[in-house]
Amino acid sequence: MDIEYLKRFVVIGNFLNFRKASEVLFVSQPALSHSIAALEKEIGAPVFIRNTKNVDFTPAGKILFDAAQHILEAYDNALTDISKVANSDEHVLRIGYVGSALDNSLTPLFRAFRAAEPDIAVNLTRHHGNEIRKTLTDQLINFAVTYEEYIANLNGVHFETIENERFTLMISSTDPLARKDSISKEELAKVPLLVCEKESAPYYYEIVMNIFNSAGIVPNVVQEVRLISDIYRLVDMGTGAAIISYSENKQMYNNFDLTFLPIDIEDQSILEHRRTIAWYGELSCSGRKFINTVKSFYNIDK
């Protein structure tokens, strides 16, 4: 049902006079008559009794008039609520992240954005690696702090690389291996390894397995855990070692006594890991402001 026809019907019903309704609506009387005829055709019944002097409701018209007032009130309220949501969304950025991609090293970035755009709020939510792709493309978040391979080959997704990391072997600083400069593939095969379970971190799991496959060795996995954050604690306790994406700028390691050893394998490219900020589709005004802050903060060419 055309909402405009319904609005015209209610105005006519309030006056029961086509001439007055025409003046209020700034619509010609023939146009009003056309609207009412279309409305009557749609509901299958006449709504007005008209003669040369008077206009009145038919029984069907009276029923429709009472209902139409509630419909139009609900419609106007919905438009108001939608406007509030739209305006609110423009001043809120929803940013999702995978656990290993967000840490205190990004705090200065968010502080810089807050200083530059104090009227735009930032809401952060954590997601598993297998969730972040769908959450981003379903536009439940505006940005994802993640890794390039997590969002690779997704149509409509754009990203900026904010840091180049590298996979290394993370061990307790009390482990005898901690005195070495690097770890060979023969030594790596013997290390009791902790990994995130495939179901919760499929991309991380695949990368770790590919590192071993590339080196031609079989990992000695002693435990699978659900969260990467748990791996730091377990390695610190001496339970085992883990292959982790490492950056000197990250501060999540500071609470633990850990050592990070370069992995000495032939294919070093497989150890490269790029942390990114990704978005889907066209950027909103707030989104463009955020990306401009990212590019300025990380000295990325605009």
Side-chain angles (χ1 to χ4, degrees):
M1 180 176 291
D2 191 316
I3 199 73
E4 189 60 33
Y5 290 168
L6 207 58
K7 288 179 179 178
R8 292 178 180 182
F9 165 69
V10 168
V11 173
I12 297 169
N14 282 327
F15 292 107
L16 290 177
N17 187 300
F18 273 72
R19 181 183 59 80
K20 289 182 179 179
S22 173
E23 292 173 354
V24 169
L25 292 169
F26 298 100
V27 175
S28 68
Q29 290 189 49
L32 284 182
S33 296
H34 174 77
S35 298
I36 297 306
L39 185 63
E40 290 174 331
K41 182 177 180 180
E42 186 166 349
I43 68 172
V47 293
F48 290 122
I49 300 171
R50 302 174 63 180
N51 56 43
T52 56
K53 294 183 178 181
N54 299 311
V55 175
D56 203 353
F57 290 112
T58 65
K62 181 59 177 173
I63 292 172
L64 182 62
F65 181 73
D66 292 339
Q69 293 178 89
H70 295 295
I71 292 170
L72 292 176
E73 182 181 3
Y75 178 75
D76 289 341
N77 290 338
L79 290 181
T80 299
D81 290 342
I82 289 169
S83 177
K84 289 178 180 178
V85 170
N87 292 333
S88 174
D89 281 352
E90 184 55 35
H91 291 86
V92 176
L93 286 183
R94 300 180 302 277
I95 300 179
Y97 65 95
V98 292
S100 57
L102 185 76
D103 69 284
N104 291 340
S105 69
L106 289 180
T107 299
L109 167 64
F110 291 120
R111 284 178 177 165
F113 180 67
R114 185 175 181 181
E117 305 293 340
D119 294 332
I120 302 175
V122 173
N123 290 344
L124 292 171
T125 54
R126 178 171 180 156
H127 302 272
H128 295 308
N130 57 345
E131 296 174 337
I132 200 73
R133 291 162 57 96
K134 187 172 182 355
T135 306
L136 182 62
T137 55
D138 285 353
Q139 296 185 286
L140 300 176
I141 54 176
N142 304 110
F143 293 97
V145 182
T146 182
Y147 289 98
E148 185 176 335
E149 66 272 10
Y150 284 36
I151 44 87
N153 303 319
L154 284 178
N155 291 331
V157 171
H158 314 273
F159 63 88
E160 291 287 352
T161 298
I162 59 174
E163 188 166 16
N164 293 314
E165 300 182 7
R166 197 167 190 81
F167 281 100
T168 64
L169 183 72
M170 180 175 70
I171 59 175
S172 168
S173 295
T174 61
D175 191 299
L177 288 173
R179 295 191 293 270
K180 298 180 66 67
D181 294 328
S182 64
I183 185 148
S184 67
K185 68 177 185 179
E186 291 78 16
E187 292 168 321
L188 185 61
K190 299 176 184 177
V191 169
L193 193 70
L194 306 172
V195 296
C196 270
E197 59 188 22
K198 186 175 182 179
E199 290 74 16
S200 62
Y203 298 99
Y204 164 83
Y205 184 91
E206 182 179 346
I207 288 171
V208 172
M209 294 302 113
N210 283 343
I211 289 172
F212 280 87
N213 290 337
S214 175
I217 55 178
V218 177
N220 176 27
V221 177
V222 295
Q223 185 176 345
E224 293 188 3
V225 299
R226 188 166 184 270
L227 299 175
I228 288 181
S229 57
D230 291 338
I231 287 182
Y232 295 107
R233 296 182 179 86
L234 290 170
V235 171
D236 185 43
M237 292 164 53
T239 304
I243 291 179
I244 291 291
S245 182
Y246 175 75
S247 163
E248 292 182 357
N249 294 325
K250 280 189 175 180
Q251 300 172 29
M252 62 175 59
Y253 326 118
N254 292 353
N255 295 327
F256 307 104
D257 189 13
L258 302 169
T259 295
F260 298 86
L261 293 179
I263 300 172
D264 186 11
I265 58 175
E266 183 175 347
D267 185 5
Q268 289 289 302
S269 65
I270 201 170
L271 302 176
E272 296 173 358
H273 206 207
R274 287 179 285 275
R275 188 159 40 151
T276 67
I277 290 180
W279 65 95
Y280 178 79
E282 296 297 322
L283 288 171
S284 65
C285 179
S286 295
R288 289 192 296 272
K289 291 177 179 179
F290 179 67
I291 286 299
N292 286 338
T293 300
V294 169
K295 290 182 175 181
S296 175
F297 189 86
Y298 289 102
N299 296 316
I300 299 170
D301 293 335
K302 295 183 179 181

